[in-house]
Amino acid sequence: MGGMSTEPDYSQGAAYVRGRYVPIGEAAIPLTDWGFLRSDATYDVVTVWEGAFFRLDAHLERFLASCARFRLDAGRPAAQIAGILEQCVRLSGLRNAYVEMIVTRGQPPWGSRDPRQAANQFYAFAVPYVWIANEAQRAQGLHLVVSDVQRIPAQSVDPRAKNYHWNDLTMGLLGALDAGGDTVVLTDGAGHVVEGPGFNVFCVNAQGTVVTPAHGVLEGITRRTVLEMAQALGLPLQVRDLPAAELRAAREVFLSTSGGGVLPVTRVDGQPVGDGAVGPVVRQLVQTYWDWHRDPRLSRPVNYETSDGGSVA
Ligand SMILES: Cc1ncc(COP(=O)(O)O)c(C=O)c1O
């Protein structure tokens, strides 16, 4: 087929790598990027649902705040980042997408170990929407295991800056899967639950109050949406330490994440939560979460047309 040029296939996703758009399968970073060698990076994930970004501004704001906390430079303002993310989605043609932006430390000149001399790098990609729980788990609820693994302390790695320090989360998850659970929540070493691999955790406690941990967690954008929904629905709410014992005795338990929104938990450590069925508060929050995707104050439509008026995908 000499000389024939084939159009790149973006249908599995599109990435922006050091100034170029490439199909997701071709997206790669240099082995020497400290993002890989040292997990020295920050990132954020925003979703596209039915052709519109959900809470894009909130994700961009958190992303730039994460960069500042880790002394990383995204090299471009929020509006330009938004443009790159939109182009990744446009190229892929995906109507439901998981859209990630990343800044890595890059690498300093050869021989230097001074992070200040590293040229930070910006990457982004759009792939099909990612669900943290499968369809059956979303219908019936997840089995959550409270891990003995302690989440890396906030004094060591600031959990409010979204990061790739996931060894604690991954080891905890492996232990939970070995124990027959679906997923895991880590603790703070003082008997409180904090967060799990890719989600915040909530309960509706025995008094009917919605509770989520205040400290030691990423301030999830979905967590923020849940807090706003609880206020809008008039649900009693407390953001404070959440003892594992209170979680185990709760009426309802759920997770919040960009990877699926509000996800029900119906078993904790092998024991049913309440009567073991998905409860009324969780049902109401799931419904409201998806309803709010139609609110133009929170959703921003993706422009799938190219500048010449044609569709790229
Ligand atoms: C450790 C951790 N906690 C919580 C969350 C939830 O954050 P968000 O609701 O912004 O997706 C995530 C992200 O997916 C995460 O990685």
Side-chain angles (χ1 to χ4, degrees):
M1 311 280 278
M4 254 186 69
S5 72
T6 46
E7 287 293 310
D9 177 8
Y10 293 110
S11 60
Q12 299 306 305
Y16 178 84
V17 179
R18 299 187 177 211
R20 285 182 55 232
Y21 292 94
V22 292
I24 190 69
E26 293 170 24
I29 63 165
L31 203 57
T32 49
D33 188 321
W34 283 13
F36 175 69
L37 292 179
R38 300 186 176 179
S39 297
D40 191 348
T42 190
Y43 73 113
D44 217 289
V45 174
V46 60
T47 58
V48 167
W49 190 253
E50 294 180 347
F53 282 106
F54 187 59
R55 308 205 83 159
L56 178 60
D57 292 342
H59 285 278
L60 290 170
E61 193 183 308
R62 182 177 67 180
F63 180 57
L64 292 175
S66 294
C67 288
R69 285 203 164 100
F70 286 167
R71 298 176 63 177
L72 290 164
D73 182 3
R76 49 200 38 80
Q80 262 178 45
I81 296 172
I84 292 170
L85 301 180
E86 186 168 34
Q87 177 66 359
C88 288
V89 177
R90 183 185 296 131
L91 285 168
S92 75
L94 291 163
R95 258 53 188 177
N96 298 323
Y98 175 103
V99 186
E100 183 155 338
M101 64 209 92
I102 305 161
V103 176
T104 64
R105 189 71 60 193
Q107 68 181 90
W110 291 113
S112 168
R113 293 173 66 83
D114 183 344
R116 294 169 304 181
Q117 295 178 342
N120 300 167
Q121 298 292 332
F122 177 83
Y123 304 91
F125 62 85
V127 292
Y129 190 87
V130 171
W131 293 94
I132 279 190
N134 65 35
E135 221 175 316
Q137 291 168 336
R138 299 201 296 275
Q140 284 142 36
L142 292 148
H143 177 191
L144 180 69
V145 171
V146 179
S147 181
D148 294 333
V149 177
Q150 189 184 327
R151 182 73 170 124
I152 192 169
Q155 293 77 6
S156 301
V157 176
D158 187 344
R160 293 169 305 168
K162 203 163 155 64
N163 62 70
Y164 290 132
H165 291 266
W166 269 51
N167 185 262
D168 50 358
L169 295 166
T170 301
M171 296 313 292
L173 177 59
L174 287 168
L177 294 170
D178 288 347
D182 297 316
T183 192
V184 70
V185 63
L186 269 47
T187 44
D188 66 355
H192 311 112
V193 296
V194 281
E195 61 186 346
F199 54 80
N200 294 107
V201 65
F202 286 77
C203 75
V204 182
N205 72 9
Q207 288 73 44
T209 301
V210 176
V211 185
T212 196
H215 305 294
V217 298
L218 178 74
E219 290 165 351
I221 304 300
T222 319
R223 173 179 177 271
R224 185 190 302 181
T225 303
V226 170
L227 298 176
E228 290 171 7
M229 292 192 296
Q231 268 168 344
L233 296 167
L235 303 170
L237 186 64
Q238 290 177 359
V239 180
R240 57 158 166 81
D241 286 346
L242 174 52
E246 186 174 356
L247 187 81
R248 291 196 185 93
R251 288 183 199 167
E252 299 185 46
V253 174
F254 60 97
L255 316 178
S256 74
T257 171
S258 296
V262 175
L263 301 172
V265 170
T266 47
R267 265 192 298 167
V268 173
D269 290 339
Q271 298 300 313
V273 175
D275 63 5
V278 179
V281 174
V282 173
R283 282 188 193 287
Q284 195 177 23
L285 290 170
V286 170
Q287 181 68 44
T288 309
Y289 178 76
W290 293 107
D291 287 349
W292 279 22
H293 280 65
R294 289 193 294 274
D295 183 338
R297 285 168 302 180
L298 301 177
S299 279
R300 188 173 118 180
V302 172
N303 176 5
Y304 286 94
E305 304 295 308
T306 55
S307 49
D308 63 10
S311 177
V312 287

